[in-house]
Amino acid sequence: MDVKSLKESLCWLYYQYLLVTGVYVLEPWEQAIFNSIFFTMVAMVIYTSYVFVPIHLRLALQFFSGLCGGQEESTVAVIN
């Protein structure tokens, strides 16, 4: 893929973003505020899912393995 088609693809995606969100009807300063809030929220969702989803998946796996008759971890400490 050459640089020109990459640039055209990115321009097309940005144009689709403008049409879908309706940002094209805003003034430039309003677009800047909307875009900064939108991308900040997207970044927070990505960060939160990166940090908390694995923890919740592990807990759900432990819960459902306990329901299905899986052996729970032993609470007895190993004595030397």
Side-chain angles (χ1 to χ4, degrees):
M1 179 183 277
D2 60 2
V3 176
K4 186 175 181 180
S5 66
L6 178 64
K7 182 181 176 185
E8 289 176 1
S9 297
L10 291 176
C11 287
W12 182 79
L13 286 173
Y14 181 68
Y15 180 67
Q16 291 295 314
Y17 163 73
L18 290 177
L19 290 177
V20 168
T21 58
V23 173
Y24 66 93
V25 298
L26 301 175
E27 293 184 18
W29 67 272
E30 293 172 327
Q31 286 181 358
I33 292 173
F34 178 84
N35 287 334
S36 63
I37 292 172
F38 178 73
F39 289 120
T40 300
M41 290 179 65
V42 167
M44 290 186 330
V45 166
I46 290 171
Y47 174 76
T48 302
S49 62
Y50 174 75
V51 171
F52 294 111
V53 167
I55 296 169
H56 287 16
L57 287 176
R58 183 180 51 82
L59 292 174
L61 181 63
Q62 286 178 352
F63 175 75
F64 287 116
S65 68
L67 286 178
C68 296
Q71 186 176 5
E72 298 207 14
E73 295 180 15
S74 176
T75 57
V76 178
V78 177
I79 302 174
N80 291 334

